[in-house]
Amino acid sequence: MSIFTARPGMVLANDIVTKDGQVLLTHGIQLTNQKIYYLLKRRIPFVDVVCDNWLSTEADSGDKAQISNQTDYYLFYQETLQAFKHAFETARFSKQLPLTLITKLVDSHIGPLINARCSIGYLQRIQVHCDYTYRHSINVSIISGILGKLVGMTKGNLKDLVTAGLLHDIGKVSIPTEILNKPGRLTDREMLTIKTHPSKGYELLLQSDQIAAEIKIGVLQHHERIDGSGYPFGLTENQIGYYAKIIAIADIYDAMTSDRIYRKRLSPFCAAETIVQQMYTQLDPLLCLTFLRHIKNYLSSSMVLLSNGQKGEVVYLNDLFTSKPTIKLVDGTYLDLRENKTVEIMDIAK
């Protein structure tokens, strides 16, 4: 079986041996989260186990799955990534949405990732340098779900929002992969092609009467902006659905804080400042404030890497939330980035 579907408690049926003959784990050993993580780091793609009957119990346990640490989160996230990648590619080749698989994924995988106590922090520490389209869809779904919980959505509406977040880029199944994966700047013609993905996603979802109208609208409108500057229709504030307004914030935050083919990821502080700049013109201000308060709790007291090579702890973030907090350096001195404009935060320290 794939290492991404291996779970703690499974017993190895055969030794795991590298290409040069090194035995990493011997048969009969019971897998733990640490051992699975070790095999992932050694890039072992498959393992043989005595049995995999856990699939009939744990996999159907829905939101009851517990994620209590970074390793659990990483393993569960990788499993989710592989499942969604399969669903996305199924839609690409069949031109039909595997709705049963998507629904099960939302219930059994996205839910636990949202409910993990430090989800935003765990998500930030996952560094996967490929499969951006799939990762981005999962991340937007998780972040949208977190924001939906913060604003008090009912369970039913929250599930629909999370589904809309997961499917917000499903229209990209109709975009040529050479455009999606192009390492350089897109031409004007290619950009116009990319901008068709909300409409194409909406058209794909129209095939199913089982998908709520609010989900379809969320997918169609997630690039609309309240000042009319978005696409595909240039809608304004009251014309844009609530799900779409939430997904827009999640979309911006994750796109900026993720590695892309053409650039390295930006810091959460930089992404938050962008949201601050757009919250009164393009994004819903109340939703932005709710989201910013949440990630402020995560970023306060975080260890960060600075552009001058130093490391320090964030000790003060002002109420307006800029990318210029006060940092306590490892030597005990303080650095106010509002006054020292030559230094900036590069990333959260591992």
Side-chain angles (χ1 to χ4, degrees), residues 1-7 31 36 39-40 44-47 75:
M1 64 161 43
S2 167
I3 187 63
F4 296 113
T5 57
R7 303 292 285 181
L31 291 177
I36 294 170
L39 295 176
L40 281 168
I44 301 299
F46 299 102
V47 293
L75 294 172

Side-chain angles (χ1 to χ4, degrees), residues 265-320:
R265 64 182 183 176
L266 303 174
S267 76
F269 296 89
C270 184
E273 184 161 292
T274 297
I275 292 173
V276 170
Q277 292 169 353
Q278 296 183 9
M279 65 186 289
Y280 294 111
T281 55
Q282 299 185 34
L283 305 172
D284 184 290
L286 293 179
L287 288 173
C288 287
L289 286 171
T290 301
F291 179 68
L292 291 170
R293 279 196 297 268
H294 179 74
I295 62 170
K296 181 177 179 180
N297 292 333
Y298 149 61
L299 293 174
S300 297
S301 302
S302 61
M303 293 296 294
V304 295
L305 301 174
L306 304 176
S307 58
N308 63 0
Q310 292 182 291
K311 182 187 292 187
E313 178 186 1
V314 175
V315 294
Y316 176 70
L317 278 167
N318 66 31
D319 291 338
L320 291 178

